[in-house]
Amino acid sequence: MVVTIAMPSGPDSTDGTTRRRLLAGLGAGVAATIGGCSGRIPGTGPAHIEAETFAESGELRWEYPPRDDADGIGYAAVEFDRVLSESAEPGSLRFTLNSTVGGLAASEPYRGYEADWFRFRVGPPAEYATRHTVRMWVRPPTWPGVRLRYDRRGGRSDLVVTAPDVHTDGTITFPLVLDSGGETPPDRVHCAFTVQASRPGALGKTVRVSDSGTLDLGSVVDRST
């Protein structure tokens, strides 16, 4: 499988003003506040917490920590948007990667957390990759300092999208395109995420959560072409 990662140029500045400006365009009604120190005690690592997975038609979502009706620290999601008929290659698929920490997604006792960094991995199944040439890329908006790389794991070829220096709450999204070169698109994609979040202050806490799953596209993508 050949994965071509193409990323348009974004802002060079990584100061707080740039982050606030970009975040404001990522989701109306979501608060974005630039945080200070992480509050983590030197020499200690983050506490690992579990996530609860929700798989719906065209969406894979992880909420953490697992909860009933109350909000928690945040959530991550990979969502199928649509087939890009205007793409140079017909049948390209557009997804949205979503990392939300704190803000409107949090309630007591989980208020005050901010994302330190997060990472997504997305790729088609290995058996699909052996028969098709696939290109994946991220379109604007972008986050300052975002890193993209190609990685092979377990026979799959994944696009890895990492925002290494976030330090804010709210929602950050990345539109991702999977181009199967005009061939029949895959019926599923493998997805994984990792996020580290901190609550600032003397009594703050740092947590890390990772999970993975399969986004089923069989009911939302016409594969008859």
Side-chain angles (χ1 to χ4, degrees), residues 31-97:
T33 56
I34 300 301
C37 62
S38 66
R40 183 165 59 92
I41 299 175
T44 63
H48 290 267
I49 59 175
E50 300 294 324
E52 186 173 4
T53 303
F54 297 89
E56 301 178 359
S57 178
E59 181 181 12
L60 188 62
R61 179 185 177 102
W62 302 274
E63 299 182 356
Y64 55 90
R67 55 191 188 267
D68 296 323
D69 295 330
D71 291 327
I73 295 174
Y75 64 88
V78 179
E79 182 176 3
F80 169 73
D81 292 334
R82 65 186 186 276
V83 176
L84 293 174
S85 58
E86 72 275 15
S87 173
E89 295 288 354
S92 296
L93 307 181
R94 184 184 190 272
F95 303 86
T96 295
L97 310 180

Side-chain angles (χ1 to χ4, degrees), residues 67-133:
R67 55 191 188 267
D68 296 323
D69 295 330
D71 291 327
I73 295 174
Y75 64 88
V78 179
E79 182 176 3
F80 169 73
D81 292 334
R82 65 186 186 276
V83 176
L84 293 174
S85 58
E86 72 275 15
S87 173
E89 295 288 354
S92 296
L93 307 181
R94 184 184 190 272
F95 303 86
T96 295
L97 310 180
N98 181 327
S99 177
T100 296
V101 175
L104 299 179
S107 63
E108 295 298 344
Y110 302 111
R111 293 192 185 278
Y113 277 93
E114 302 169 347
D116 298 331
W117 58 267
F118 64 82
R119 177 174 61 242
F120 282 93
R121 302 177 61 97
V122 180
E127 59 270 22
Y128 183 89
T130 61
R131 302 192 308 270
H132 300 83
T133 297

Side-chain angles (χ1 to χ4, degrees), residues 16-43:
T17 301
T18 301
R19 289 197 180 96
R20 288 193 294 269
R21 186 182 302 116
L22 287 173
L23 193 62
L26 294 174
V30 179
T33 56
I34 300 301
C37 62
S38 66
R40 183 165 59 92
I41 299 175

